[in-house]
Amino acid sequence: MLKSALRLLTVATVISAAAAGANAANPQVGGAAMAEDKNIVENAANSKDHTTLVAAVKAAGLVETLQGKGPFTVFAPTNEAFAALPAGTVETLLKPESKAHLTKVLTCHVLAADAMSTAIAKMIKDDNGTHDVQTVGGCVLKAKESMGKITLTDEMGGVSTVTIADVKQSNGVIHVVDKVLLPKM
């Protein structure tokens, strides 16, 4: 009888642990909870680390697109990533006459797929250490994995690291990155 009770307790514990892992909470981003039932724009707007990105998405007229059905994967640069660009770059990109350039930069951060980090890591491994990632903006990023972190090399040779992976959204996933990915212009 005691053995049966212990087995039941063990099975219940294993099932509870599996369920908890399957329903693991989204990581917080910019001090805010990221709700899986909200879309990319709604969640990004709640992150204090992504105010520049949200302003850029609005200036480029991409709000409606990124609130759409998707699925999308967005490599979301932080405010610090935008601040690291040469002086005056962000201000210039946000001007109405720079909308086409801004749109190109932003869409080089977007994939038309729901690409979780495990899938990206598998593609990197399957491609012997480097996987070409085609973005919505027509850019080709080089994905690599180093010391458990995914890095992306843009068309200008800049390297960005995923700092927070797998932030699930209702219409895809966000991976927070520490550098702005730049296209060849």
Side-chain angles (χ1 to χ4, degrees):
M1 179 89 161
L2 185 56
K3 281 185 180 181
S4 292
L6 285 174
R7 264 187 259 153
L8 266 172
L9 182 60
T10 302
V11 169
T13 302
V14 169
I15 290 171
S16 292
N23 295 321
N26 254 352
Q28 284 200 352
V29 176
M34 298 286 112
E36 287 185 45
D37 63 344
K38 293 191 178 190
N39 66 52
I40 289 165
V41 175
E42 290 171 326
N43 274 324
N46 288 326
S47 167
K48 67 177 175 53
D49 292 343
H50 290 90
T51 56
T52 305
L53 176 62
V54 171
V57 166
K58 288 177 181 177
L62 294 172
V63 171
E64 189 174 309
T65 300
L66 292 175
Q67 287 180 327
K69 184 178 178 183
F72 301 109
T73 296
V74 175
F75 297 107
T78 60
N79 294 341
E80 285 183 12
F82 280 103
L85 292 171
T89 301
V90 173
E91 293 78 10
T92 299
L93 284 172
L94 293 175
K95 291 181 179 179
E97 61 269 21
S98 299
K99 184 176 179 179
H101 189 137
L102 176 61
T103 300
K104 177 73 171 177
V105 169
L106 292 176
T107 57
C108 284
H109 290 80
V110 180
L111 310 180
D114 190 348
M116 300 298 280
S117 64
T118 52
I120 297 170
K122 183 179 180 334
M123 289 183 266
I124 293 167
K125 184 179 178 189
D126 290 349
D127 288 347
N128 298 314
T130 303
H131 179 72
D132 286 353
V133 177
Q134 184 75 38
T135 70
V136 170
C139 301
V140 177
L141 307 174
K142 302 281 186 189
K144 296 180 181 180
E145 189 174 12
S146 176
M147 298 177 6
K149 292 277 187 178
I150 293 174
T151 63
L152 302 162
T153 303
D154 65 26
E155 294 180 335
M156 300 301 290
V159 179
S160 184
T161 301
V162 174
T163 58
I164 302 173
D166 301 333
V167 186
K168 297 176 197 137
Q169 314 291 300
S170 66
N171 62 344
V173 62
I174 290 175
H175 301 291
V176 177
V177 294
D178 65 353
K179 300 276 188 280
V180 176
L181 300 162
L182 299 173
K184 278 188 185 172
M185 293 305 272

